[in-house]
C-alpha cells in the first residue's frame, strides 16, 4: 500500500467526509497535508488522529474540548472565554485561581506548584 | 440590543481592525403569493485571505420549502447548478475542490437544515450565489403570514453539545449518527458585526390588500412591494410579514405549467364551509415549560390557558399537561369543564415555571394517553427542538390531532406547521413580541369543533387535503390539470363547491407547480427518519420514502435529502491540490433567546468575572460551566418584558365565564346584566360571534343569554339587542368592561349606559 493517501482516501478510510476533514484542519484539530499542491498527501498519522477525534467525540467531548486535549489549537485557546475557574485557598490570606479546563498534565503540574506554595507560605507564617 | 442598522463596517473590538467576513450579505427578493413564495436569496461571499477559502453557510428552510437551483457569479464568470443525487453531487464538489476549481454545493439535512458550501474562493475574490427557494406561507382566512429565517435558533436535542469558543460566540454540535456531516453555524451574541441582511419582495394577490405589516422589521410598502425600511439589518431574527386582505373570499390561481398542462392553487376560506357544531369537546392543553419559555411567553401562556378553559362548558372535558424534560399533568384523565376543575387548573398553572429541556414528544404522548383516541391537543411551545422527524413519527403514531401555537423570533415554523398538518390539526406562529395569549385563545376557538369534515377534493388535487376544516384557517389545494378551462371540485359532509380555474400566465403556472412540488417534498421529508436518510445508497434504494423523494425531486426539479445542487466553475489558474481554509459563517443568537442560557455566562474581560467555584471547592467537583451547559436553561432577554406581560383586561373577563357560559353573580338578574355588558365589551373590542379571538366566548355568552330566566320584558329587549350586536359587531359606547366586571351590576345601570352611548360604534 502507498504510504501517502489523498484526502479522498483518508476520508474513505476514516469514514469522515472530506469537508469535515478540512473543517478539522482549519480548526487545528488535525495537521494539514504533509505536501501541498497537486500531490497533497496525508499519512497514517492523519488517520490515527481522526480515529482519536472520533473516539473523543463519542465520549461526549465538544470539538473545542478535543482541540484542547489534542493541544493543537493555541490560537483558539487564547481566544476562548475562560469558562470556569478553580479557587484554591492556599493560606488564610491567599487564594489562587486556575482555569478549570486546563489539560490534565498541566493540571497536575499546577497543583503540585500550588501545593508547594501552600507549604512555603505555611512555613513562612510559622517562622 | 444590537444596533439593527449599523452604518459602519464591522471592526474587531480589541484591535479596531475591520473584520473580514467570509459572507458579507444576504438579501432576499422574490414574489409572495397566498399559495406560497418563490424567492431568490443572494449570498455575497468574499475572501480577505491570502489563500483560497471554503465557506459554509448553514440555514433552516422555511415551512414547505425546497431548493430549486442556484446561479453563481463573479468577475467574468457565471455558472448554474445541476441537480444530482446527493452522493454524486458531493463527489462532484470534492473533485472540483481537489482540482482547485470554484465549487458550490447546496445540501439539505434533517430538520430542513441546509449547508451551502462554496469552496476555492480565491484571495480577494468576491463571489455571489443566487439561490432559488420555494416556500409556503401560514394562511388565515383574511390573509397570510410569511416567514423567512435570517438566523437559526439553537435547538434542544438530548445528545447535543454546546461550548463557548470565543467571547460571545458559541458552538453547537449534534450527533453525527443522526445529522451526518451537517455543520451548524456559530452563534454570536452580538449580531451587529455579522453579515448584513435585507429584503425586497413583491406580493402577488387577487383580493385587494387592506394592510401589509411586520412585527419583526421596519418595512417600506410601495403598492405591492415591501422592502426593508432601513439600509440594512442584522441576522438575529426571522423576517415576518403579515398581509391582510380587505375581504375574505376564495382565491384561485392557475397558469400553464408545460406539456399541455396547467397548474393551479386554490385558497378556500373556512367561512365557505359551515359553522362549527355544538358537540362536546375533549381537549388537552400541553404547555412547554422549557427554559426558553421563561418570562413573558410562559406568563402569557398561563393566562391564555385560563381564558381558553373559560370557553368550555360542563359537557366539555379537558386536561392540562406541562413538560420540559419531565412531564406533569394536572390529573390522570380528562376532567369536566366545571368551575371547580377550572380552579384546579389555575392552581396547577400557578406552579408551572420555565426550566429544563424540550422533550416535546413526551408532552403530547401523555396528552394522547389522556385522550385515549378521541379529542384534540393544543401545544403551546417555542418548538426549539432537533431531531424533528422522530418527533413527527411519534405524533403520527399517537393518532391524535395536534394543533400548535409556536412562539419565537427564530423559526421552528417548518416543524410546527408539519406537526399540526401531519396530525390534521392547525398551527399558528407568533413572535415573542406579539400577544401570545390572544393568539392562543383565537386558536383554541377553532380547534375541537371543525366547520367541515369528510373533505375530499377532485382527483387532480395533490396532496390530498386534510379531511377536517377549522374556523379561521383556509384550505389550500394544489394540482395540475389537462382540461381547459378545468375546475377543482370540493365535497364534504353536507356540502360541495366547484371552483372554475382562471387562465393565468405561464410564469404563475410554473411557480404553482414548483410550490406543489416543494409542499410534497416537505411532507415526505418529514417521514424520512435520519438513520434511514443517512444510510448508504444501496440501502436507501430499499427505502420507500427515499424512493418517493428521489422521484419527486426528479419530477419537480427540486432538491431534497436525496438530491442536491452542485456547480463547479473551471477557470484558468485553478491550482489543483491546494487546501482551502474552511470557515463557518456565524449567525446571531435569536433576539429573544439569551446567549448565556445555551452557552453558559459570557465571560467578562477579567478572569475573575468568569464562572467561579465557591471558595474552598474541592478540586474534584465538576466545573460549573459544564453543568450550566447540561441544564439548558435558556433565559429570555428581559427587554420589553413589561410591555409583553401586560395582560389584556378582556383576557381576565373571558376567564370569568361560568361553565354555563354566563358571567358570575349573586342572582340570575345580576348574572344576565353582567353577561350583556360582557358581550358588549367584547363586541366593542372587535370580537363577534364569528370573528375575533374571543368568538367562542361571545358565542357562549349569547347562548347563556338566550336561555336566561328571571328577567323583565324590558330587560329581555336589551338582551335581544346585545345578541344582535354580537352578530352585527356594532356596540353602543360605554364602559362595558367595568360594568361586566362589577359584582353589583344592575339592569338600571346597563340601561342608562346604553341610552348614554346610544350612537352605535362607528356611526
Amino acid at each position: 500500500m502507498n504510504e501517502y493517501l489523498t484526502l479522498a482516501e483518508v476520508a474513505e478510510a476514516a469514514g469522515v467526509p472530506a469537508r469535515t476533514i478540512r473543517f478539522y484542519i482549519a480548526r487545528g484539530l488535525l495537521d494539514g497535508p504533509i505536501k501541498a499542491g497537486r500531490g497533497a498527501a496525508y499519512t497514517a498519522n492523519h488517520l490515527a488522529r481522526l480515529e482519536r477525534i472520533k473516539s473523543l467525540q463519542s465520549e461526549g467531548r465538544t470539538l473545542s474540548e478535543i482541540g484542547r486535549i489534542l493541544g493543537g489549537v493555541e490560537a483558539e485557546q487564547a481566544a476562548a472565554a475562560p469558562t470556569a475557574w478553580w479557587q484554591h485557598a492556599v493560606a488564610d490570606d491567599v487564594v489562587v485561581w486556575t482555569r478549570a479546563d486546563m489539560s490534565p498534565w498541566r493540571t497536575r503540574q499546577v497543583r503540585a506548584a500550588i501545593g508547594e506554595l501552600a507549604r512555603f507560605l505555611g512555613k513562612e507564617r510559622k517562622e | 440590543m444590537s444596533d439593527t442598522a449599523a452604518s459602519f463596517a464591522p471592526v474587531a473590538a480589541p484591535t479596531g481592525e475591520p473584520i473580514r467576513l467570509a459572507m458579507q450579505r444576504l438579501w432576499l427578493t422574490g414574489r409572495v403569493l397566498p399559495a406560497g413564495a418563490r424567492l431568490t436569496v443572494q449570498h455575497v461571499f468574499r475572501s480577505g485571505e491570502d489563500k483560497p477559502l471554503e465557506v459554509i453557510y448553514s440555514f433552516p428552510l422555511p415551512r414547505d420549502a425546497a431548493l430549486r437551483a442556484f446561479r453563481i457569479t463573479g468577475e467574468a464568470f457565471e455558472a448554474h447548478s445541476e441537480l444530482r443525487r446527493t452522493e454524486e453531487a458531493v463527489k462532484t464538489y470534492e473533485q472540483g475542490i481537489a482540482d482547485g476549481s470554484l465549487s458550490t454545493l447546496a445540501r439539505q439535512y434533517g430538520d430542513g437544515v441546509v449547508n451551502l458550501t462554496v469552496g476555492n474562493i480565491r484571495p480577494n475574490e468576491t463571489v455571489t450565489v443566487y439561490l432559488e427557494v420555494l416556500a409556503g406561507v401560514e394562511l388565515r382566512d383574511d390573509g397570510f403570514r410569511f416567514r423567512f429565517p435570517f438566523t437559526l435558533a439553537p435547538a434542544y436535542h438530548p445528545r447535543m453539545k454546546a461550548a463557548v469558543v470565543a467571547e460571545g460566540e458559541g458552538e453547537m454540535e449534534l450527533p453525527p449518527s443522526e445529522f451526518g456531516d451537517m455543520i451548524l453555524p456559530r452563534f454570536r451574541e452580538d449580531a451587529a458585526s455579522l453579515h448584513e441582511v435585507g429584503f425586497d419582495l413583491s406580493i402577488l394577490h387577487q383580493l385587494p390588500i387592506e394592510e401589509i405589516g411586520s412585527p419583526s422589521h421596519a418595512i417600506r410598502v410601495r403598492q405591492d412591494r415591501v422592502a426593508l425600511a432601513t439600509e440594512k439589518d442584522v441576522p438575529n431574527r426571522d423576517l415576518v410579514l403579515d398581509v391582510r386582505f380587505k375581504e375574505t373570499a376564495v382565491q384561485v390561481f392557475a397558469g400553464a405549467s408545460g406539456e399541455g398542462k396547467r397548474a393551479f392553487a386554490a385558497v378556500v376560506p373556512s367561512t365557505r364551509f359551515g359553522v362549527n357544531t355544538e358537540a362536546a369537546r375533549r381537549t388537552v392543553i400541553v404547555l412547554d415549560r422549557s427554559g426558553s419559555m421563561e418570562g413573558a411567553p410562559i406568563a402569557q401562556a398561563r393566562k391564555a390557558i385560563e381564558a381558553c378553559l373559560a370557553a368550555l362548558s360542563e359537557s366539555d372535558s379537558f386536561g392540562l399537561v406541562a413538560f420540559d424534560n419531565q412531564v406533569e399533568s394536572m390529573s390522570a384523565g380528562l376532567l369536566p369543564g366545571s368551575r371547580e376543575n377550572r380552579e384546579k387548573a389555575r392552581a396547577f398553572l400557578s406552579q408551572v415555571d420555565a426550566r429544563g429541556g424540550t422533550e416535546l414528544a413526551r408532552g403530547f404522548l401523555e396528552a394522547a394517553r389522556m385522550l385515549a383516541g378521541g379529542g384534540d391537543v393544543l401545544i403551546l411551545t417555542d418548538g426549539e427542538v432537533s431531531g424533528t422527524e422522530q418527533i413527527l413519527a411519534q405524533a403520527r403514531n399517537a393518532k391524535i390531532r395536534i394543533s400548535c401555537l409556536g412562539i419565537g423570533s427564530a423559526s421552528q415554523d417548518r416543524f410546527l406547521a408539519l406537526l399540526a398538518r401531519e396530525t390534521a390539526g392547525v398551527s399558528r406562529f407568533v413572535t415573542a413580541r406579539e400577544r401570545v395569549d390572544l393568539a392562543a385563545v383565537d386558536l383554541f376557538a377553532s380547534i375541537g369543533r371543525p366547520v367541515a369534515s369528510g373533505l375530499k377534493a377532485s382527483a387532480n388535487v395533490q396532496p390530498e387535503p386534510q379531511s377536517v376544516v377549522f374556523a379561521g384557517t383556509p384550505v389550500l389545494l394544489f394540482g395540475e390539470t389537462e382540461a381547459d378551462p378545468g375546475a377543482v371540485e370540493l365535497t364534504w359532509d353536507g356540502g360541495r363547491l366547484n371552483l372554475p380555474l382562471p387562465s393565468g400566465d405561464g410564469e404563475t403556472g410554473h411557480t404553482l407547480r414548483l410550490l406543489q412540488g416543494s409542499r410534497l417534498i416537505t411532507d415526505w421529508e418529514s417521514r424520512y427518519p435520519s438513520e434511514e436518510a443517512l444510510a448508504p445508497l444501496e440501502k436507501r434504494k430499499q427505502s420507500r420514502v427515499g424512493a418517493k423523494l428521489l422521484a419527486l425531486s426528479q419530477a419537480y426539479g427540486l432538491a431534497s435529502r436525496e438530491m442536491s445542487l452542485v456547480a463547479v466553475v473551471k477557470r484558468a489558474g485553478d491550482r489543483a491540490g491546494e487546501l482551502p481554509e474552511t470557515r463557518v459563517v456565524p449567525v446571531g443568537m435569536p433576539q429573544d433567546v439569551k446567549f448565556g442560557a445555551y452557552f453558559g455566562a459570557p465571560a467578562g474581560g477579567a478572569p475573575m468575572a468568569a464562572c467561579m467555584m465557591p471558595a474552598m471547592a474541592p478540586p474534584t467537583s465538576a466545573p460549573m460551566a459544564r453543568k450550566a451547559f447540561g441544564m439548558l436553561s435558556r433565559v429570555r432577554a428581559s427587554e420589553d418584558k413589561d410591555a409583553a406581560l401586560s395582560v389584556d383586561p378582556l383576557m381576565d373577563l373571558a376567564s370569568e365565564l361560568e361553565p354555563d357560559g354566563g358571567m358570575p353573580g349573586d342572582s340570575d338578574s345580576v348574572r344576565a346584566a353582567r353577561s350583556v355588558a360582557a358581550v358588549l365589551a367584547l363586541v366593542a373590542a372587535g370580537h363577534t360571534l364569528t370573528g375575533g379571538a374571543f368568538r367562542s366566548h361571545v358565542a357562549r355568552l349569547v347562548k347563556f343569554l338566550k336561555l336566561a330566566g328571571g328577567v323583565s320584558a324590558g330587560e329581555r329587549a336589551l338582551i335581544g339587542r346585545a345578541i344582535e350586536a354580537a352578530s352585527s359587531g356594532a356596540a353602543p359606547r360605554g364602559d362595558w368592561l367595568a360594568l361586566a366586571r362589577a359584582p353589583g351590576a344592575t339592569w338600571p345601570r346597563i340601561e342608562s349606559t346604553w341610552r348614554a352611548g346610544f350612537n352605535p360604534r362607528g356611526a
Side-chain angles (χ1 to χ4, degrees):
Chain A
M1 187 185 128
N2 193 337
E3 165 182 13
Y4 296 125
L5 303 168
T6 64
L7 180 59
E9 285 165 342
V10 178
E12 175 75 31
V16 178
R19 190 186 71 158
T20 309
I21 296 176
R22 287 193 295 274
F23 178 54
Y24 289 168
I25 294 172
R27 295 194 53 148
L29 299 180
L30 188 70
D31 290 336
I34 54 162
K35 275 198 293 177
R38 185 166 280 281
Y42 299 81
T43 65
N45 287 344
H46 287 98
L47 267 179
R49 177 58 80 100
L50 282 169
E51 286 305 327
R52 177 104 171 93
I53 293 172
K54 274 165 71 178
S55 100
L56 287 166
Q57 272 187 314
S58 65
E59 285 169 21
R61 302 282 186 174
T62 64
L63 289 181
S64 10
E65 279 176 315
I66 295 171
R68 287 196 285 272
I69 290 166
L70 299 177
V73 278
E74 284 82 3
E76 185 168 344
Q77 203 163 12
T83 48
W85 290 78
W86 298 122
Q87 195 183 59
H88 308 263
V90 288
D92 292 344
D93 51 353
V94 179
V95 169
V96 175
W97 295 86
T98 62
R99 273 181 73 133
D101 55 358
M102 286 186 296
S103 62
W105 63 268
R106 177 75 176 156
T107 307
R108 280 197 295 277
Q109 200 178 25
V110 171
R111 278 215 195 122
I114 291 172
E116 243 178 71
L117 177 64
R119 274 193 297 280
F120 176 73
L121 292 174
K123 247 188 264 165
E124 285 263 305
R125 179 154 287 193
K126 272 180 215 152
E127 278 166 16
Chain B
M1 176 68 224
S2 33
D3 189 351
T4 52
S7 57
F8 45 84
V11 293
T15 59
E17 292 284 309
I19 291 173
R20 289 178 297 189
L21 293 173
M23 187 166 96
Q24 303 205 314
R25 181 179 152 100
L26 189 147
W27 217 262
L28 178 68
T29 57
R31 298 206 301 171
V32 187
L33 286 73
R38 186 170 180 178
L39 308 162
T40 301
V41 192
Q42 180 205 42
H43 309 76
V44 179
F45 298 98
R46 179 165 172 80
S47 165
E49 307 297 316
D50 50 11
K51 59 187 293 193
L53 210 57
E54 179 181 49
V55 186
I56 303 169
Y57 175 58
S58 183
F59 62 93
L61 285 175
R63 68 163 60 191
D64 298 335
L67 308 178
R68 178 163 181 255
F70 64 76
R71 178 167 63 91
I72 178 164
T73 65
E75 209 181 301
F77 73 86
E78 178 178 282
H80 293 264
S81 64
E82 285 177 41
L83 184 65
R84 302 234 182 117
R85 274 211 86 126
T86 294
E87 278 79 4
E88 219 182 292
V90 171
K91 223 171 163 179
T92 306
Y93 174 82
E94 285 301 334
Q95 191 56 53
I97 294 295
D99 293 343
S101 305
L102 179 69
S103 307
T104 308
L105 175 70
R107 179 179 179 185
Q108 185 174 335
Y109 293 87
D111 291 345
V113 174
V114 174
N115 276 185
L116 175 65
T117 312
V118 186
N120 282 337
I121 302 171
R122 291 176 178 175
N124 297 316
E125 185 183 27
T126 300
V127 164
T128 305
V129 177
Y130 296 90
L131 183 62
E132 189 183 341
V133 184
L134 282 301
V137 298
E138 178 186 315
L139 279 165
R140 294 169 187 189
D141 272 353
D142 62 348
F144 62 87
R145 167 166 279 197
F146 167 73
R147 253 184 117 106
F148 185 84
F150 281 138
T151 183
L152 193 151
Y156 173 80
H157 187 280
R159 286 191 293 141
M160 60 176 263
K161 290 180 268 184
V164 178
V165 288
E167 191 169 325
E169 192 160 306
E171 184 175 64
M172 284 188 81
E173 293 160 41
L174 289 165
S177 57
E178 244 181 86
F179 295 88
D181 70 335
M182 175 179 97
I183 289 178
L184 284 174
R186 286 186 170 187
F187 297 92
R188 199 65 81 73
E189 185 176 18
D190 180 5
S193 60
L194 297 178
H195 54 274
E196 59 184 56
V197 301
F199 53 90
D200 187 350
L201 298 161
S202 59
I203 311 286
L204 193 80
H205 58 99
Q206 288 177 342
L207 299 174
I209 289 179
E210 169 80 27
E211 190 183 18
I212 299 176
S214 169
S216 64
H217 288 75
I219 55 169
R220 191 181 63 231
V221 181
R222 277 192 201 131
Q223 287 180 329
D224 297 338
R225 283 182 72 143
V226 49
L228 182 67
T230 49
E231 192 193 337
K232 59 194 180 186
D233 210 307
V234 295
N236 69 348
R237 65 203 185 282
D238 287 358
L239 164 65
V240 181
L241 278 183
D242 285 321
V243 177
R244 206 151 53 80
F245 298 123
K246 280 198 164 78
E247 57 194 273
T248 298
V250 175
Q251 299 171 79
V252 186
F253 303 85
S257 54
E259 295 170 21
K261 290 185 181 172
R262 287 198 308 139
F264 63 84
V267 180
V268 187
S270 66
T271 48
R272 285 303 295 263
F273 297 89
V275 286
N276 45 11
T277 57
E278 292 286 308
R281 300 212 276 182
R282 291 161 56 82
T283 321
V284 177
I285 300 182
V286 178
L287 175 60
D288 178 353
R289 67 185 304 180
S290 64
S292 51
M293 291 283 288
E294 186 170 317
I298 201 149
Q300 287 186 344
R302 276 197 295 244
K303 194 74 213 163
I305 293 173
E306 278 179 36
C308 288
L309 296 179
L312 296 176
S313 72
E314 290 227 37
S315 56
D316 295 326
S317 47
F318 75 100
L320 210 49
V321 173
F323 73 93
D324 44 22
N325 16 6
Q326 286 165 0
V327 179
E328 258 182 280
S329 39
M330 182 186 85
S331 53
L334 297 190
L335 299 174
S338 66
R339 184 94 212 171
E340 189 195 347
N341 287 331
R342 274 165 44 196
E343 280 307 321
K344 219 170 143 182
R346 194 193 297 256
F348 175 78
L349 286 170
S350 68
Q351 49 86 40
V352 172
D353 279 318
R355 45 180 209 202
T358 314
E359 291 287 352
L360 189 62
R362 286 197 210 161
F364 65 67
L365 289 177
E366 170 65 8
R369 190 196 59 73
M370 289 169 80
L371 287 167
D376 281 79
V377 176
L378 171 63
I379 303 185
L380 285 76
T381 178
D382 57 16
E384 288 179 3
V385 287
S386 304
T388 56
E389 289 86 10
Q390 246 175 346
I391 299 173
L392 287 164
Q394 288 173 287
R396 276 187 289 263
N397 289 338
K399 305 228 179 303
I400 40 168
R401 201 155 58 194
I402 299 177
S403 291
C404 304
L405 179 69
I407 305 158
S409 65
S411 198
Q412 295 296 319
D413 199 31
R414 177 180 182 273
F415 163 56
L416 291 181
L418 277 167
L419 183 59
R421 189 164 71 221
E422 291 283 298
T423 61
V426 282
S427 69
R428 289 275 182 280
F429 216 110
V430 293
T431 72
R433 290 168 189 229
E434 292 175 280
R435 294 289 304 268
V436 175
D437 48 7
L438 271 182
V441 171
D442 187 25
L443 187 58
F444 191 76
S446 314
I447 66 169
R449 288 187 187 129
V451 291
S453 50
L455 184 71
K456 285 196 177 70
S458 41
N460 52 13
V461 170
Q462 216 196 356
E464 274 178 46
Q466 261 173 223
S467 66
V468 283
V469 184
F470 294 98
T473 306
V475 173
L476 171 64
L477 305 164
F478 285 109
E480 220 172 2
T481 179
E482 282 175 38
D484 194 15
V488 199
E489 187 148 298
L490 270 181
T491 57
W492 62 95
D493 299 345
R496 165 183 297 272
L497 189 63
N498 187 281
L499 304 170
L501 300 178
S503 45
D505 59 81
E507 196 191 338
T508 302
H510 194 47
T511 300
L512 294 173
R513 186 169 187 279
L514 291 171
L515 287 171
Q516 178 188 32
S518 69
R519 164 71 190 270
L520 287 166
I521 285 176
T522 307
D523 283 349
W524 283 93
E525 277 285 342
S526 81
R527 293 163 202 159
Y528 205 17
S530 299
E531 56 278 18
E532 207 172 309
L534 288 172
L537 185 57
E538 279 315 306
K539 213 168 167 195
R540 282 203 333 275
K541 282 181 179 162
Q542 323 279 319
S543 156
R544 187 180 69 96
V545 184
K548 182 76 192 175
L549 278 172
L550 181 64
L552 285 170
S553 275
Q554 286 166 336
Y556 289 91
L558 293 168
S560 63
R561 269 184 283 176
E562 286 299 321
M563 293 193 89
S564 301
L565 300 167
V566 66
V568 173
V569 186
K570 294 203 178 295
R571 296 182 286 176
D574 283 354
R575 288 164 62 178
E578 197 168 354
L579 185 80
E581 172 93 7
T582 304
R583 291 277 176 81
V584 180
V585 175
V587 296
M589 274 300 275
Q591 196 173 50
D592 296 292
V593 182
K594 258 195 178 171
F595 178 83
Y598 264 106
F599 298 106
M608 298 292 270
C611 289
M612 290 181 235
M613 293 303 292
M616 306 301 288
T620 46
S621 69
M624 259 173 103
R626 174 97 45 81
K627 277 196 209 148
F629 298 157
M631 278 193 315
L632 260 184
S633 56
R634 287 167 278 159
V635 187
R636 197 166 290 275
S638 63
E639 55 183 309
D640 291 353
K641 194 182 270 184
D642 291 343
L645 273 177
S646 69
V647 170
D648 193 326
L650 289 181
M651 199 62 71
D652 282 329
L653 176 72
S655 318
E656 282 192 60
L657 258 60
E658 293 283 355
D660 61 6
M663 290 296 288
D666 295 339
S667 65
D668 286 352
S669 170
V670 169
R671 293 197 63 204
R674 287 184 68 185
S675 300
V676 164
V679 167
L680 296 172
L682 289 168
V683 170
H687 307 273
T688 65
L689 275 171
T690 50
F694 292 104
R695 58 188 177 279
S696 57
H697 295 83
V698 174
R700 294 192 44 68
L701 283 161
V702 165
K703 196 178 166 198
F704 169 79
L705 285 171
K706 279 181 178 167
L707 302 171
V711 290
S712 71
E715 290 157 6
R716 174 72 56 205
L718 280 175
I719 288 176
R721 286 162 73 183
I723 292 173
E724 234 177 80
S727 301
S728 69
R733 288 193 205 105
D735 193 356
W736 298 111
L737 189 62
L739 267 175
R741 307 205 61 194
T746 55
W747 282 108
R749 281 184 64 196
I750 300 281
E751 203 174 347
S752 61
T753 309
W754 198 305
R755 223 179 277 123
F758 187 69
N759 290 333
R761 197 165 67 103

